[in-house]
Structures are given as structure tokens and as C-alpha cells.
Amino acid sequence: MKPIRMLDLIALLRGRRRPLTAAEIAERLGASRRTVYRDIAGLQAMGVPIDGAAGVGYILRPGFDLPPLNFTAEEVEAIVVALALLPRTGDRGLVAAAEGVAAKIAASVPRQASATLAASGWHGLPEAGTDPALLRRAIRDERRIAFHYRNAEGEESDRSALPLALVYYIDSTVLAAFCELRQDFRHFRLDRMSDCHFPGGGFRGRGRALRADWSARTGAPAPA
């Protein structure tokens, strides 16, 4: 049982008022029903209070919380530096989220790390024509997007695509996606995108496989 999938499964069940079937869980996690049955059995064996059965559905009893994570001093320092570097992406949504994480770390660990480590937030990225938060939401929810695009030669086109990943380079931020016009993987600079919206449709359950294919064909880091 993969730790990340285990956490995703618990997060999916937490706060649900009705049971989720194995088929629903499998679709949302991009796994097979057999894997879901195995993971739930493993979590139940570890004492996680999941009630239900195959064919009926599963629900997490109220009041369950994961044990707090314990970080070493160097792990805390790594997080602090990473958070301090986030402004360089130019992604205001991530920067705001980073400030919340930093506040939680400062409240729960010694002040030394946050007081002795800092990073310049300067960046030379061009202004994004599309809000990165919208793209991150589309990637998480596996929703199809449409947008207007201008390439390096100034040629303009309307595109629809399945968004897979955001890649933050030194001089630009790029969306990796499966382009429906070209029927292939393409990389779109955010500063050349505009009028991005959700036209309807999605690719629920296909994101992980598409990212694996994109990674294999482009040499990008493999998805978790």
C-alpha cells in the first residue's frame, strides 16, 4: 500500500455523510477496485475506523485524525527554504498558501529555522496571462480546459487540452498538457495563454496514465 494513496483514501472518506463505493473510490484515485479493497483492508488492520463492505460502500467514522508528522531539524529547514523560494514562481495562489504553511510551522517548531534561513523572492518571470490557480485546479480535478494561445512566432490559435502538470522554469512557467488540436503532448507558456476557461468535459481517472506517458516521452520527472 503506497503511503500517498493511503493518505488520499483517508482524505477522500473524511467528512463524507454517505458511504462511497469501491468503484467511486477507484475512479477518484485512479486505481482498480481490487487495489481499493486491499488498501481499505490494510487501513482497517492498522486501526483506521473505516466501516462498510464490498457492494455497500465505505465510510470513515467521525473523530479520526492522522498522527502529527514529526520533522527533523534539517527537514524543517528544507521546508522553510522551499517556502521562501516560492515567490520566485510568480504564482500568487501558491505564495498565499505558503504563508499559511509557514505560520503553522512557526507555531509548532522552534523559531530557529525560520529566523536563520531566508531567500530572495525576486523573479524575472513574465506576467502570466492565465491564473495558475485555475490551471492547478483543472489538473487536480482532471477537467478539460480551453484557451487562446500565441506561439513564439506570434501565430494565434484556439486550443482545448487536458492539463497534466505545471513546470516552473527560471524564465517561464509552462503547462504540460495533451493538446486536442494536435492530438499529442504540448507545452504552453502561461504568459502566452489567455481567455482560459472550462468548456465542459473532463478526463477523470486518466490523469496518472497520461502523465506517465508524457514523462516517458519527454523525459520529465515521473509522476508520484
Side-chain angles (χ1 to χ4, degrees):
M1 179 167 48
K2 293 185 178 180
I4 293 177
R5 193 173 64 231
M6 175 190 72
L7 295 174
D8 287 344
L9 202 162
I10 292 173
L12 187 60
L13 292 176
R14 178 178 282 126
R16 294 279 172 177
R17 295 184 177 182
R18 69 167 183 86
L20 286 179
T21 66
E24 290 174 312
I25 296 171
E27 181 182 0
R28 298 187 188 197
L29 296 183
S32 67
R33 277 186 284 182
R34 183 178 178 182
T35 297
V36 170
Y37 291 138
R38 184 176 65 243
D39 287 354
I40 287 177
L43 288 169
Q44 288 172 329
M46 294 165 58
V48 178
I50 298 175
D51 293 332
V56 177
Y58 298 92
I59 194 164
L60 183 68
R61 290 202 301 270
F64 174 77
D65 285 308
L66 289 170
L69 296 175
N70 293 315
F71 296 110
T72 66
E74 288 195 343
E75 288 170 340
V76 170
E77 290 172 347
I79 294 171
V80 168
V81 171
L83 294 175
L85 288 169
L86 266 177
R88 296 188 182 185
T89 66
D91 189 326
R92 294 186 183 90
L94 285 183
V95 171
E99 290 172 353
V101 175
K104 291 176 183 177
I105 289 177
S108 58
V109 301
R111 292 177 56 84
Q112 251 165 310
S114 56
T116 58
L117 299 171
S120 166
W122 179 89
H123 68 85
L125 295 175
E127 186 72 23
T130 295
D131 186 356
L134 182 148
L135 299 176
R136 286 189 275 105
R137 184 165 70 250
I139 293 168
R140 284 195 307 269
D141 297 342
E142 298 183 340
R143 296 175 65 180
R144 181 170 166 261
I145 61 171
F147 55 93
H148 189 74
Y149 194 70
R150 175 181 50 81
N151 66 17
E153 287 71 42
E155 299 170 340
E156 301 190 12
S157 60
D158 291 314
R159 304 292 184 103
S160 60
L162 310 182
L164 302 174
L166 281 178
V167 185
Y168 295 91
Y169 292 104
I170 294 174
D171 59 351
S172 65
T173 302
V174 170
L175 172 71
F178 183 84
C179 177
E180 293 183 319
L181 176 64
R182 304 302 184 195
Q183 285 297 296
D184 202 356
F185 296 108
R186 289 290 187 271
H187 297 99
F188 302 100
R189 286 179 52 140
L190 268 60
D191 58 305
R192 295 175 182 165
M193 297 172 64
S194 61
D195 190 29
C196 188
H197 60 281
F198 299 126
F203 55 109
R204 182 63 62 85
R206 296 170 53 203
R208 183 166 299 193
L210 283 169
R211 271 187 291 276
D213 191 13
W214 164 69
S215 174
R217 293 173 56 182
T218 65

